[in-house]
Amino acid sequence: MKRHLLRTLLASIIFILLSFVVRTYPDGFINSFGDINLSHEDDKEYPLLKVHFIDVGQGDAILIQSEDSHMLIDAGERHNSDTLISYLRENSVSKLEYVIATHPHSDHIGSLANVIDNFQIGKIIMPDAISTTKTFENLLDTIAKNNLKITKPIIGTEYILGSASFVIIAPNGSNYKNLNDYSVGIKLKHNENSFVFTGDAEKLSENEMLENGINLKADVFKLAHHGSSTSNSDDFLDAVDPMICVVSAKKDNSYGHPHVEIMQAMKDRNIILYRTDEQGTIILESDGKTITANTRPYKISEKDTIRSKP
Ligand SMILES: [Zn+2]
């Protein structure tokens, strides 16, 4: 009888201890593994992922939403900040878990200080690049004023966003002549769907991603540098092998973005193309298996692939 009691007591103590250990694992413990199992049974519906390529004229601003978690890649020029802030509010954003400022050019960080002042911010990821512009200095001041810390991009680091995750794929170097090459690149994964964003990374950075053997294969690629032919090399496009590409640019911009060579490449590869300059804000929705868009694909015509005479 006594022995039985002792055994029950011991079992209870072990049980209590075990449940304590299990309960005290912080969320981060599970998330810190590179390859996590998002454990959704096949018969269950996978939560939706929404990727908004917001029309901010000549620039980038991409909102990514998964299960009430929000992330912003770039924020367009400063003069678009009211439009951007309204757009985020209309889409139920109060907190941005992650903000990525790909590189310190005004068409990417112009509205970011205003965004930081208007929303709760989690992690802000920025490359180790400096610019002497007022826009950049103002951004740094705003980050400091809001007691935020800058997280530097480290290749291979994985972050969780709702039922999706993303991994840092660029920059692979630390010393570039062109600020564009500092662009933070990520691959976003959502069950079977994936997206690659590389800011304005030029061919130099693209080659480094290729040389480092990074798995770039993705369903969707936001064409780098607004569809410039100084980015989006054939080798890079081969490696990403996207089904869908998106151009974020302003109609009739002075740079001629997207360039005719890239439009030709889209045509040759039968890529489904969307353009903010021609179609406004593009929203892609992934259910983990298929991707749907808020509009029909852009039809590439002859004028897109032939350079107009100067
Ligand atoms: Zn740009």
Side-chain angles (χ1 to χ4, degrees):
M1 185 67 184
K2 254 188 190 167
R3 209 187 276 165
H4 176 72
L5 256 176
L6 197 67
R7 224 184 286 150
T8 314
L9 192 68
L10 259 174
S12 315
I13 290 170
I14 289 168
F15 177 78
I16 290 164
L17 275 176
L18 268 178
S19 52
F20 182 71
V21 167
V22 169
R23 250 184 255 140
T24 50
Y25 274 144
D27 284 350
F29 181 83
I30 302 161
N31 293 350
S32 66
F33 285 108
D35 198 31
I36 56 145
N37 178 9
L38 293 165
S39 67
H40 289 269
E41 289 96 357
D42 283 343
D43 56 338
K44 249 196 216 167
E45 246 179 64
Y46 208 78
L48 286 179
L49 171 84
K50 268 184 161 188
V51 181
H52 310 242
F53 300 85
I54 305 164
D55 181 11
V56 288
Q58 185 66 13
D60 277 9
I62 302 152
L63 170 68
I64 302 169
Q65 302 181 291
S66 174
E67 296 194 287
D68 296 330
S69 290
H70 312 284
M71 158 166 163
L72 185 69
I73 305 177
D74 289 335
E77 293 280 2
R78 190 190 167 94
H79 60 82
N80 283 307
S81 78
D82 288 349
T83 313
L84 178 62
I85 286 165
S86 308
Y87 190 89
L88 297 179
R89 290 217 172 104
E90 280 159 21
N91 284 279
S92 331
V93 177
S94 56
K95 179 181 179 180
L96 289 160
E97 261 74 16
Y98 303 95
V99 169
I100 297 182
T102 61
H103 65 295
H105 277 152
S106 65
D107 58 325
H108 296 255
I109 59 157
S111 291
L112 203 48
N114 279 345
V115 167
I116 291 170
D117 279 336
N118 279 278
F119 298 91
Q120 219 186 312
I121 308 289
K123 220 178 245 314
I124 174 156
I125 302 172
M126 284 170 70
D128 212 355
I130 337 164
S131 165
T132 51
T133 59
K134 270 227 170 85
T135 308
F136 185 65
E137 280 167 10
N138 180 39
L139 172 61
L140 292 185
D141 289 347
T142 306
I143 289 170
K145 191 183 75 194
N146 285 275
N147 292 317
L148 293 167
K149 268 193 295 183
I150 295 171
T151 300
K152 300 287 179 208
I154 297 167
I155 300 295
T157 309
E158 192 157 0
Y159 299 95
I160 306 297
L161 180 82
S163 59
S165 67
F166 67 95
V167 64
I168 306 287
I169 59 169
N172 287 263
S174 55
N175 204 352
Y176 300 105
K177 276 193 197 127
N178 189 335
L179 271 182
N180 288 341
D181 282 318
Y182 283 96
S183 288
V184 177
I186 65 157
K187 181 171 173 177
L188 173 73
K189 290 178 261 182
H190 184 243
N191 199 13
E192 289 172 26
N193 293 140
S194 50
F195 301 68
V196 164
F197 308 88
T198 58
D200 283 358
E202 303 277 345
K203 285 177 179 170
L204 174 63
S205 169
E206 290 180 348
N207 285 337
E208 287 175 345
M209 286 182 248
L210 293 169
E211 280 160 19
N212 278 353
I214 291 167
N215 179 359
L216 296 162
K217 176 78 192 86
D219 301 308
V220 180
F221 177 45
K222 186 222 61 114
L223 285 170
H225 198 177
H226 323 288
S228 168
S229 61
T230 54
S231 306
N232 312 296
S233 73
D234 280 336
D235 287 347
F236 196 79
L237 290 176
D238 284 347
V240 181
D241 190 23
M243 180 178 72
I244 298 169
C245 280
V246 182
V247 170
S248 186
K250 185 185 178 187
K251 199 173 167 71
D252 302 324
N253 64 79
S254 57
Y255 308 97
H257 294 152
H259 287 155
V260 291
E261 296 85 346
I262 304 307
M263 293 300 282
Q264 186 64 51
M266 296 296 107
K267 204 176 171 188
D268 294 345
R269 291 162 190 266
N270 284 317
I271 289 172
I272 298 168
L273 184 69
Y274 297 98
R275 298 173 55 165
T276 63
D277 56 342
E278 294 288 342
Q279 302 171 285
T281 294
I282 305 292
I283 305 166
L284 299 182
E285 218 169 77
S286 155
D287 65 2
K289 278 197 169 115
T290 48
I291 293 165
T292 48
N294 64 334
T295 181
R296 284 168 187 271
Y298 177 76
K299 202 169 172 341
I300 300 171
S301 68
E302 214 162 82
K303 73 168 171 53
D304 294 314
T305 55
I306 295 169
R307 197 182 301 276
S308 52
K309 291 194 180 79

